[in-house]
Amino acid sequence: MAGSVVRGTLRSFNSTTYRAAVELVGAEDQNLTNVRVSRGIASAEMVSGRVVVVALYEDLNPDAAMVVGVWG
């Protein structure tokens, strides 16, 4: 998954640190925690259970990933 954009489900969001826990779709046992969230996304949009878009720069490394969008 390195260098890819994947879909996930938002599990939690910290509006102070702008970090999230995300469950990747198709890899339910692959949960990422402490993932950066783009500051271009309003914190009100970050509702648990919402579908998110995650950019992965390294395989399943939350330090090299970012939530870049929401929908649903």
Side-chain angles (χ1 to χ4, degrees):
M1 286 189 213
S4 62
V5 177
V6 297
R7 187 171 63 172
T9 303
L10 181 66
R11 293 297 171 217
S12 65
F13 173 67
N14 183 321
S15 61
T16 302
T17 62
Y18 248 71
R19 300 278 179 136
V22 177
E23 179 181 300
L24 301 181
V25 171
E28 282 70 23
D29 60 336
Q30 302 285 340
N31 293 316
L32 298 179
T33 58
N34 207 32
V35 177
R36 289 176 176 86
V37 176
S38 169
R39 295 282 180 158
I41 301 171
S43 61
E45 298 293 324
M46 298 298 291
V47 177
S48 183
R50 192 124 192 236
V51 175
V52 294
V53 178
V54 181
L56 293 172
Y57 303 105
E58 294 176 10
D59 285 340
L60 305 177
N61 178 357
D63 290 329
M66 178 179 269
V67 175
V68 295
V70 296
W71 79 84

